[in-house]
Amino acid sequence: MNRREFIAAGLLGLPALRACGAASRAPAPLALATADTESHVVVVAPATGRIVQRLRTLEGPRSIQGRPGLAVCAHTQLGKVSLLQRDGDRVHVRRVLNGFVEPRYTVLAGRHAFVTDSGSGEVATIDLQRGRVLHRAAVGDLARHVTRHGDTLWVALGSSAARLVAVDVSDPLHAAVKRRVAPRFLAHDVAVAPGGRLWVTAGRERRIALSGGLELDADEAPQHVSFGPGRAYVASGDGGSVRVHALDGRLLHSARVPRGSYNVQRAGRFVLTPSLGAGTLTILDLRGEVLHSVRVAAAAHDSCMV
């Protein structure tokens, strides 16, 4: 091959190389928001704020937790849990699980999901690959918000909880309570920061407690917490705000969002907060600046990323 043919062959090969590189890149993330009163989940492209799909589900999708490729959606009033799967740019319902009373919130851990059931006072272990419930552990009445640190789940017993429960899930098939803790105030959300520090928010007061004795002022209760690199994001639905804190508690920024934005999830480079009252999904960047506020439904209680 002479020099001219060599250059031509190289140029002809460039499109194929570009296509190969594009195929190897991970797909762009998708945000999911529950349309609580309309029996579907809204799929939004977070980079643009554009609605790309409305996924029909059972009635009352209430909470949703996801990671790349999948999500777990709880239908609290029906006592059912839907497993959602992403294929390309579309999301579908892979399986519906029965046998719950009032499923509430979920944490994901490898091939397992742990779902609190406030009606039965249990934490259910779900095998995500097989799509079935493997175990139910009694933890206490009104089991609700849940977080995980290593082999321990922390569960708040109620929306204004007088007790937090630590559950050992080192063996997901034999999850069991290992201790019960009385928080400084009636607790709503419980979350574990990178590094293991526990953040507990109030159900009725403008307070947040951090393990180690630190207490922060907050916007109106109840509040929910999510974490990013070096940051904590605290949503106040009644106050209409998302506050950004350093992990040592310092307030860095506060953003106004629609009232009723109770839940908050940080995933990748986005922070999501849906509004139960306004039916919006607000998308913020990691600094806490609002990028988009999208009207997705009449009411949107929870959101996640897949």
Side-chain angles (χ1 to χ4, degrees):
M1 179 181 292
N2 62 34
R3 183 173 180 273
R4 183 174 298 175
E5 291 172 335
F6 179 82
I7 293 172
L11 291 174
L12 289 171
L14 283 176
L17 289 173
R18 291 194 188 103
C20 181
S24 66
R25 287 195 296 268
L30 294 174
L32 308 184
T34 59
D36 298 44
T37 61
E38 300 168 78
S39 305
H40 68 273
V41 167
V42 185
V43 184
V44 178
T48 62
R50 185 171 65 90
I51 296 172
V52 297
Q53 182 186 354
R54 292 186 181 272
L55 171 65
R56 181 60 53 184
T57 67
L58 298 176
E59 292 179 16
R62 184 68 175 171
S63 75
I64 194 164
Q65 184 69 32
R67 68 181 185 214
L70 63 88
V72 177
C73 180
H75 308 267
T76 303
Q77 292 183 334
L78 292 182
K80 299 177 185 291
V81 169
S82 294
L83 304 184
L84 311 183
Q85 183 171 318
R86 176 178 177 176
D87 290 317
D89 291 332
R90 306 293 290 177
V91 181
H92 68 270
V93 178
R94 180 165 68 90
R95 182 163 296 183
V96 174
L97 305 180
N98 302 307
F100 297 86
V101 182
E102 293 180 355
R104 290 288 182 176
Y105 291 95
T106 302
V107 292
L108 302 172
R111 69 176 289 164
H112 298 108
F114 300 98
V115 180
T116 57
D117 190 328
S118 60
S120 65
E122 296 174 325
V123 169
T125 303
I126 296 174
D127 185 320
L128 294 170
Q129 293 182 10
R130 298 164 65 188
R132 56 178 292 188
V133 177
L134 300 178
H135 180 70
R136 299 177 191 272
V139 298
D141 292 343
L142 304 179
R144 195 176 180 97
H145 289 287
V146 59
T147 190
R148 181 177 70 95
H149 179 58
D151 291 332
T152 300
L153 300 182
W154 285 95
V155 181
L157 301 182
S159 58
S160 290
R163 289 287 184 273
L164 304 177
V165 179
V167 182
D168 181 0
V169 292
S170 55
D171 180 353
L173 300 184
H174 297 90
V177 172
K178 60 182 182 181
R179 63 186 169 118
R180 300 175 187 272
V181 176
R184 300 176 212 170
F185 43 72
L186 296 178
H188 189 72
D189 195 17
V190 55
V192 178
R197 197 172 200 181
L198 202 64
W199 288 52
V200 180
T201 68
R204 301 179 184 176
E205 304 175 64
R206 298 171 65 138
R207 301 167 69 185
I208 302 172
L210 280 60
S211 55
L214 183 62
E215 189 167 312
L216 311 178
D217 293 329
D219 206 340
E220 294 183 58
Q223 308 103 7
H224 293 84
V225 185
S226 186
F227 298 100
R231 298 288 186 270
Y233 303 92
V234 182
S236 167
D238 288 346
S241 70
V242 171
R243 291 186 173 188
V244 184
H245 294 262
L247 295 183
D248 61 9
R250 288 175 295 121
L251 181 62
L252 303 176
H253 182 70
S254 182
R256 304 308 303 172
V257 297
R259 287 178 62 84
S261 300
Y262 294 102
N263 288 315
V264 62
Q265 287 284 338
R266 194 284 306 180
R269 59 190 180 93
F270 299 107
V271 179
L272 310 175
T273 182
S275 172
L276 190 59
T280 54
L281 177 65
T282 301
I283 303 166
L284 305 94
D285 64 19
L286 295 181
R287 298 170 298 176
E289 301 289 347
V290 173
L291 300 173
H292 310 285
S293 189
V294 189
R295 182 67 151 71
V296 293
H301 177 260
D302 207 1
S303 61
C304 71
M305 201 84 78
V306 295

